[in-house]
């Protein structure tokens, strides 16, 4: 079965073939019509010359030939007198002679003039209005094809995105629903164990994990819903997320934070944005195989806040910078490849921001940049 990307490439190739074939046919038709107009002008020149040089010529036939040209602009130039005689050309009210001189130059660039040797004259001519329109037709055709192709791709992309969104929302809400029952049961068991003689420190850690499960359930339930954003200090949100992660990753992972001394206020939904931090950190930990440095750096530029998250892992080739956000893409043996897709959705749709790979190099690590508007 063809992949969606392969079908897209096939569609583009077919569209290019259709366009090239259309251009070839149009150019061939234009050339044939141009040759026919040249022959008509040559016949017209012969008729003009014959009318003046051969008195026994059937004048009615000659006049019929001369009067038949109603579409092709011509200028008859007499070398002896310098007189210019136009036909099928709309002359300006003033300075018609200069206008015709300009037209002769234009006509001469497009077509070689036809010499009337017996009369010592040159016949200059231009393409008819029909031929000029036909010459432009392929480009208008290209524009229309490009427009409809673009609209088709846009509609297809929107349709696929809407379908993907429905799957995301359905899966997320069903996950939240399924998690609700065991979490309620765990909460009840926690209250029961607090009444027994059990190590309080152990109960505290279990309680933290139950609270974490409740937060995860809340995150899933918010996917597809209108999320409430409120002003938060970005530094605090990151510190709280990292504090949770530090106890659950390898001790060989070092977290560095380069933050401004003043509060960095942005509109956030902390449970969802914390999910973004966790997913990126977990990807970095996997890329570093449990040992290395993860650095958080906040900078400001105009009305934008930039959060750079860097790791010292195996890095990426430039060709993968956009692909890693695609659903199903993963370099790990396990997992569904949905983590960074979810991150992109939360940043761009829930927080109206942007996330991308700022830089990466195989063997030297990766830096993700998240851009958010200031509060």
């Amino acid at each position: 079965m063809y992949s969606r990307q392969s079908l897209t490439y096939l569609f583009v190739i077919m569209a290019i073939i259709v366009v090239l074939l259309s251009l070839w046919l149009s150019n061939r038709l234009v050339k044939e019509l141009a040759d026919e107009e040249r022959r008509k002008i040559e016949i017209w020149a012969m008729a003009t010359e014959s009318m003046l040089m051969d008195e026994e010529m059937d004048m009615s036939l000659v006049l019929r030939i001369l009067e038949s040209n109603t579409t092709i602009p011509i200028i008859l130039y007499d070398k002896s007198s310098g007189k210019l005689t136009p036909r099928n050309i709309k002359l300006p009210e003033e300075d018609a002679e200069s206008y015709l001189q300009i037209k002769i130059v234009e006509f001469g660039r497009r077509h070689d003039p036809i010499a009337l040797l017996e009369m010592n004259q040159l016949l200059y001519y231009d393409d008819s209005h029909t031929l000029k329109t036909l010459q432009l037709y392929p480009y208008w055709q290209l524009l229309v094809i490009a427009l409809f192709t673009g609209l088709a791709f846009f509609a297809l992309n929107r349709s696929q995105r809407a379908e993907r969104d429905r799957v995301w929302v359905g899966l997320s809400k069903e996950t939240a629903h399924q998690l609700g029952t065991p979490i309620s049961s765990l909460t009840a068991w926690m209250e029961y164990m607090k009444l027994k003689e059990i190590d309080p420190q152990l109960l505290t850690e279990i309680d933290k994990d139950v609270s974490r499960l409740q937060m995860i359930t809340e995150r899933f339930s918010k996917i597809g819903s209108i999320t409430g954003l409120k002003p938060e200090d970005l530094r605090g949100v990151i510190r709280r997320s990292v504090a949770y992660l530090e106890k659950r990753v390898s001790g060989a992972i070092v977290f560095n934070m380069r933050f401004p001394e003043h509060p960095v206020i942005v509109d956030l939904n902390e449970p969802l944005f914390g999910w973004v931090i966790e997913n990126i950190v977990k990807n970095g930990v996997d890329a570093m195989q449990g040992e290395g440095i993860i650095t958080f750096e906040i900078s400001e530029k105009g009305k934008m806040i930039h959060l750079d998250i860097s790791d010292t892992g195996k890095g990426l080739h430039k060709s993968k910078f956009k692909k890693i956000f695609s659903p199903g893409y993963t370099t790990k043996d396990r997992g569904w490849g949905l983590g960074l897709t979810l991150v992109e959705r939360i940043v761009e749709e829930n927080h109206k921001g942007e996330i991308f790979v700022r830089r990466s190099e195989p063997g030297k690590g990766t830096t993700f940049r998240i851009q958010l508007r200031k509060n």
Side-chain angles (χ1 to χ4, degrees):
M1 179 181 288
Y2 288 110
S3 67
R4 183 175 295 172
Q5 190 174 21
S6 298
L7 288 174
T8 301
Y9 287 147
L10 181 62
F11 179 79
V12 170
I13 291 170
M14 290 179 64
I16 291 173
I17 291 173
V18 169
V19 167
L20 291 176
L21 183 61
S22 174
L23 282 173
W24 178 77
L25 290 173
S26 298
N27 287 333
R28 182 177 176 182
L29 184 60
V30 165
K31 188 177 183 305
E32 289 178 356
L33 186 56
D35 291 342
E36 184 178 346
E37 288 193 353
R38 175 81 181 187
R39 288 193 293 270
K40 285 182 178 179
I41 291 300
E42 287 174 347
I43 293 172
W44 193 93
M46 290 171 60
T48 302
E49 198 170 28
S50 299
M51 183 179 67
L52 297 176
M53 302 304 298
D54 191 349
E55 297 179 357
E56 297 180 2
M57 174 74 66
D58 183 355
M59 297 305 296
S60 62
L61 176 60
V62 173
L63 288 172
R64 199 176 306 141
I65 293 173
L66 295 177
E67 292 172 357
S68 66
N69 175 30
T70 58
T71 58
I72 304 174
I74 60 173
I75 300 174
L76 194 61
Y77 169 62
D78 192 312
K79 292 181 179 181
S80 303
S81 63
K83 183 180 179 182
L84 299 174
T85 306
R87 183 179 179 87
N88 300 326
I89 297 177
K90 186 176 180 181
L91 297 174
E93 294 181 2
E94 298 180 0
D95 207 6
E97 191 73 18
S98 298
Y99 179 78
L100 289 176
Q101 292 288 353
I102 294 171
K103 283 296 177 183
I104 275 187
V105 175
E106 291 178 3
F107 291 2
R109 286 174 185 164
R110 295 192 185 105
H111 304 287
D112 294 331
I114 298 170
L116 283 67
L117 299 177
E118 299 294 336
M119 300 170 60
N120 197 27
Q121 293 179 340
L122 289 175
L123 181 62
Y124 292 86
Y125 74 99
D126 193 14
D127 296 327
S128 65
H129 177 72
T130 302
L131 181 56
K132 288 181 178 179
T133 303
L134 189 60
Q135 288 170 340
L136 292 175
Y137 173 75
Y139 301 101
W140 285 108
Q141 189 180 31
L142 277 177
L143 181 62
V144 171
I145 291 174
L147 180 62
F148 275 99
T149 302
L151 288 173
F153 271 110
F154 177 75
L156 179 63
N157 184 60
R158 289 296 297 269
S159 174
Q160 291 173 348
R161 191 176 183 87
E163 181 182 354
R164 190 174 65 201
D165 286 349
R166 286 194 294 270
V167 173
W168 268 110
V169 172
L171 178 63
S172 301
K173 292 192 178 297
E174 179 62 21
T175 302
H177 177 72
Q178 293 295 334
L179 286 173
T181 302
I183 289 174
S184 298
S185 178
L186 285 171
T187 303
W189 277 108
M190 279 294 302
E191 295 301 320
Y192 175 76
M193 286 190 293
K194 287 176 182 178
L195 301 175
K196 303 297 180 179
E197 294 182 359
I198 298 175
D199 184 359
Q201 187 176 356
L202 177 63
L203 287 177
T204 301
E205 290 302 316
I206 296 175
D207 193 37
K208 286 181 181 178
D209 285 330
V210 171
S211 298
R212 194 67 184 175
L213 281 172
Q214 289 174 330
M215 178 180 286
I216 291 170
T217 303
E218 182 185 359
R219 288 170 174 174
F220 276 112
S221 67
K222 289 180 182 295
I223 298 297
S225 304
I226 298 175
T227 53
L229 306 179
K230 62 180 183 178
E232 299 278 3
D233 186 349
L234 182 59
R235 303 174 306 166
V237 173
I238 296 171
R239 287 183 179 124
R240 286 189 286 274
S241 296
V242 171
Y244 173 80
L245 291 166
E246 277 182 315
K247 299 177 181 179
R248 289 161 177 80
V249 299
S250 167
I253 299 295
V254 177
F255 290 93
N256 288 336
M257 298 185 190
R258 300 172 184 168
F259 297 162
E261 294 185 2
H262 60 272
V264 182
I265 307 300
V266 292
D267 290 332
L268 292 177
N269 180 288
E270 185 168 347
L272 287 180
F273 198 78
W275 205 356
V276 170
I277 301 299
E278 288 176 31
N279 271 301
I280 295 176
V281 168
K282 287 177 180 176
N283 273 279
V285 170
D286 289 339
M288 296 185 297
Q289 298 180 336
E291 182 177 359
I293 301 172
I294 293 180
T295 303
F296 293 86
E297 184 174 357
I298 296 176
S299 59
E300 302 178 40
K301 186 176 181 180
K303 296 182 178 180
M304 301 303 295
I305 300 293
H306 296 159
L307 170 60
D308 291 339
I309 306 175
S310 306
D311 63 59
T312 55
K314 56 188 177 183
L316 296 167
H317 288 284
K318 197 168 184 178
S319 60
K320 307 292 184 184
F321 281 14
K322 291 185 178 180
K323 196 173 182 180
I324 60 172
F325 294 102
S326 301
Y329 179 82
T330 179
T331 57
K332 296 178 283 189
D333 295 332
R334 57 186 177 82
W336 290 2
L338 297 177
L340 289 177
T341 305
L342 187 61
V343 163
E344 184 183 46
R345 180 186 176 90
I346 292 172
V347 171
E348 295 186 356
E349 296 196 15
N350 296 103
H351 292 86
K352 308 304 177 188
E354 184 180 2
I355 182 170
F356 55 89
V357 178
R358 185 186 180 194
R359 59 176 174 266
S360 186
E361 189 175 341
K364 293 187 178 180
T366 300
T367 298
F368 287 91
R369 167 161 285 189
I370 298 173
Q371 294 186 164
L372 299 169
R373 283 195 170 275
K374 287 183 181 179
N375 174 261

